[in-house]
Amino acid sequence: MNDIYSESPAKPRPQIALENQSYWDGLRRHQLLVQRCLTCAKLRHYPRPMCDACYSFEYDWHALSGSATVHSWTVTHHAFHAGFKQDLPYVTVTADLRDGIRLQAPLAGSDVNLAVGARLDLEFIDVDAELTIISMRIRA
Amino acid sequence: MINLCDKAAVSGVGETAYTRETDRSQLSLTLEAALNAVLDAGLDPKDIDGVIPYASGGVVAEDFITNFGIADLRYSAQTPMGGASAVAALQSATMAVATGVAKHVLITLGRGSISGGRISDQLTRMPQMRLVSEFEMPIGTNAPAQFYAHMARRHMELYGSTSEQFAEVALTCCAHAQLNERAMMRKPMRLADHQNSRMIADPFRLFDCSLEGAGAAAVVISSAERARDLRCAPIYIGGCAEGHPDSPSAITQRRDLTRLGIANAAPIAFAMAGVTHADIDVAEIYDCFTYIVLCQLEDLGFCAKGEGGHFVANGRIRLGGDLPINTHGGLLSEAHIGGMNHIVELVRQLRGECGERQVTNAEVGLVTGFGDLGDGSLAIMHR
């Protein structure tokens, strides 16, 4: 259990779309899975039914490695959702993975000096028995 | 393609008072603004045969049939593009009256009291927020200030734009609001006030964010021929367009975080209107956050990408400058009426009704909308 998720009020949980269960199941196994088109091999994220390059509905799930770089970020100082009030201030990064795929993830620590291109390591945080999320950490 | 240039005109504008809170419903406020717009045009409510109500919220075309007693509503639509909805509706209304489908199309936008619910809860229910709800809200990205902060920070890192440059937009809107008795922000703002305002979602401070409030505004769009016989001087719609960015439902996955949908729409609207940027006498630029104004000025082509911060300096966007913007105070200092108040203000500027804040000899003006994570819309109007 990660302590940032242990106190009330509850943080919002993902409203998992029908075809996205494999993504969240992958996180439970500490794997970052993105869709790969079975017709043209284009990777895509966030998950969606169709490939926008070749219009194929056929895809499998492809595991990405755990390194990334900073694309942008924000530091939140105002609790827009009560579930995050005890975390203020907190950093959220937009992180570049590969092939144009990005993630948004919390960044461990709020007093870090960030810059575009800074190297990040990806971590898996087991929130509870059902939910794992991705977090980022500045590479030492 | 049928050229829509000058086929339609704004024949009437109206609004309610703008207040922090209200005990009236969104529908009641919307009907008051709508009635004012219809009367401003010199029409009877039963003359309205087309309606485009704001897509976010509970007001629908049926409400106008019921309350105005409209016997034969011929056209109804919605343009669900968040803050780009109102200006995008100008394009739809223009098409409706240019083709003769409708004679007089009413466009409305009302916002009730904000105390009814948390913004993140409201957003979660919107289908265009499906991806954000699943992938970003659970990690603490719950509101527009946070969504757009990633775009603003990227711009600052790539182009060196600064919080002080964002502040010039807030200071301009606040200075203009001092000349507008309808505006909610009547206290002057200095740069230090902006820089000392509390951080909300870095780089956005409190005074980078628009004012939440309650109220409604509305406009009537008529065919140009019909508008010429009505009560007010017609304000012609010379060009209008809507534009959508790639990855419209997830800023995180967008190829270029610093490019908005309006970049696609602007060349279409300028070409349709047959005007250049130098012809624009006044511009009402959607300003949910200060940075969004800088970015739109770039995407509209008033300056190159990355130059928005320099462009707004030295009084250029203030009354008396080369391109006065948000002469009513905008969403930042008049009220957040979803940008319908921007359309109303542009029409009044082009009619010459703006008193102390009137732009001298305003003949051609521009209004923009921005919303739903990057959608854009613009209209170029003239008297």
Side-chain angles (χ1 to χ4, degrees):
Chain A
M1 284 277 287
N2 183 279
D3 62 353
I4 69 163
Y5 266 82
S6 61
E7 295 173 27
S8 60
K11 291 174 162 62
R13 298 182 72 91
Q15 305 293 307
I16 299 175
L18 182 63
E19 290 147 328
N20 296 356
Q21 192 60 49
S22 294
Y23 172 81
W24 294 100
D25 290 347
L27 293 188
R28 290 297 304 143
R29 301 189 304 271
H30 291 197
Q31 273 192 314
L32 169 57
L33 301 179
V34 299
Q35 289 173 312
R36 180 174 56 187
C37 176
L38 281 180
T39 306
C40 76
K42 185 179 176 180
L43 297 176
R44 63 182 192 254
H45 198 56
Y46 300 138
R48 52 182 179 265
M50 275 180 84
C51 174
D52 70 347
C54 72
Y55 317 125
S56 169
F57 285 88
E58 304 301 317
Y59 60 84
D60 64 3
W61 293 91
H62 176 78
L64 286 186
S65 76
S67 69
T69 57
V70 172
H71 190 84
S72 192
W73 70 92
T74 185
V75 188
T76 297
H77 293 260
H78 175 87
F80 291 98
H81 187 290
F84 294 94
K85 193 161 188 175
Q86 76 261 13
D87 303 337
L88 297 176
Y90 60 90
V91 184
T92 314
V93 288
T94 299
D96 285 309
L97 286 106
R98 49 167 284 210
D99 295 321
I101 284 174
R102 302 200 196 108
L103 280 181
Q104 205 181 95
L107 185 78
S110 63
D111 55 351
V112 284
N113 281 318
L114 280 169
V116 167
R119 308 274 297 184
L120 297 166
D121 286 317
L122 188 148
E123 299 177 343
F124 296 90
I125 297 179
D126 295 324
V127 173
D128 56 31
E130 281 84 41
L131 178 63
T132 297
I133 64 166
I134 287 172
S135 175
M136 296 283 177
R137 184 178 293 278
I138 295 282
R139 183 168 291 180
Chain B
M1 188 171 108
I2 298 168
N3 189 346
L4 293 174
C5 178
D6 295 348
K7 294 288 198 301
V10 182
S11 54
V13 299
E15 71 270 272
T16 63
Y18 301 147
T19 56
R20 181 77 189 163
E21 297 282 344
T22 181
D23 54 6
R24 293 175 60 190
S25 67
Q26 182 187 32
L27 175 59
S28 175
L29 292 165
T30 301
L31 290 168
E32 178 186 332
L35 181 61
N36 288 339
V38 170
L39 297 177
D40 184 57
L43 292 168
D44 183 276
K46 289 179 175 51
D47 295 327
I48 297 298
D49 60 356
V51 181
I52 308 179
Y54 183 41
S56 299
V59 178
V60 293
E62 286 85 341
D63 290 315
F64 296 92
I65 297 172
T66 303
N67 288 277
F68 285 178
I70 298 170
D72 186 13
L73 192 81
R74 303 279 181 94
Y75 176 71
S76 65
Q78 289 195 326
T79 51
M81 294 166 63
S85 302
V87 176
L90 292 175
Q91 176 180 241
S92 292
T94 295
M95 291 190 288
V97 299
T99 53
V101 170
K103 297 183 178 71
H104 305 289
V105 178
L106 176 66
I107 308 173
T108 66
L109 192 152
R111 291 166 70 104
S113 211
I114 54 170
S115 55
R118 290 184 310 214
I119 189 165
S120 60
D121 288 344
Q122 295 170 21
L123 292 173
T124 305
R125 291 192 290 270
M126 297 164 68
Q128 59 270 50
M129 295 292 164
R130 200 168 57 226
L131 292 172
V132 171
S133 294
E134 179 168 351
F135 294 98
E136 300 182 0
M137 289 193 179
I139 60 159
T141 300
N142 307 98
Q146 298 168 303
F147 306 156
Y148 307 149
H150 289 260
M151 305 196 296
R153 173 54 65 184
R154 179 81 181 166
H155 194 278
M156 295 170 89
E157 296 298 307
L158 289 186
Y159 303 114
S161 50
T162 66
S163 175
E164 288 81 0
Q165 292 171 334
F166 298 171
E168 177 57 17
V169 174
L171 267 57
T172 295
C173 287
C174 191
H176 293 169
Q178 306 312 305
L179 306 174
N180 175 13
E181 62 188 18
R182 195 176 293 282
M184 290 171 62
M185 186 93 100
R186 300 310 301 274
K187 189 178 166 192
M189 187 191 299
R190 297 164 300 142
L191 178 60
D193 298 325
H194 175 278
Q195 293 291 294
N196 293 329
S197 65
R198 72 187 169 94
M199 195 64 88
I200 300 294
D202 183 279
F204 295 141
R205 296 180 175 279
L206 181 65
F207 287 162
D208 290 302
C209 306
S210 47
L211 296 168
E212 282 296 338
V219 299
V220 179
I221 307 301
S222 306
S223 70
E225 286 168 28
R226 288 193 168 86
R228 282 191 275 273
D229 297 330
L230 295 178
R231 179 177 162 269
C232 296
I235 300 301
Y236 297 97
I237 297 172
C240 50
E242 69 177 58
H244 302 259
D246 68 279
S247 189
S249 300
I251 293 167
T252 302
Q253 306 298 337
R254 191 166 300 157
R255 283 192 294 274
D256 182 354
L257 264 59
T258 68
R259 187 179 190 276
L260 304 174
I262 200 168
N264 294 339
I268 297 168
F270 274 95
M272 189 187 297
V275 302
T276 67
H277 294 76
D279 295 321
I280 303 296
D281 300 312
V282 54
E284 315 298 353
I285 309 290
Y286 195 89
D287 55 334
C288 49
F289 298 92
T290 51
Y291 162 76
I292 298 298
V293 174
L294 293 194
C295 191
Q296 285 176 96
L297 288 168
E298 297 168 358
D299 289 334
L300 286 162
F302 284 102
C303 59
K305 182 50 67 184
E307 293 297 315
H310 297 291
F311 182 84
V312 300
N314 301 317
R316 181 182 269 134
I317 61 170
R318 297 199 183 210
L319 281 166
D322 289 345
L323 185 71
I325 71 157
N326 300 4
T327 44
H328 52 330
L331 308 182
L332 288 162
S333 276
E334 188 190 47
H336 196 324
I337 310 298
M340 190 68 83
N341 50 328
H342 289 48
I343 302 173
V344 170
E345 173 70 5
L346 180 60
V347 169
R348 293 220 173 101
Q349 284 284 344
L350 296 173
R351 287 179 182 172
E353 296 176 348
C354 287
E356 280 189 278
R357 66 178 194 276
Q358 178 65 47
V359 173
T360 310
N361 296 325
E363 292 183 7
V364 181
L366 178 151
V367 59
T368 75
F370 162 86
D372 272 6
L373 308 175
D375 294 347
S377 50
L378 77 156
I380 295 168
M381 302 191 200
H382 65 92
R383 66 189 191 195

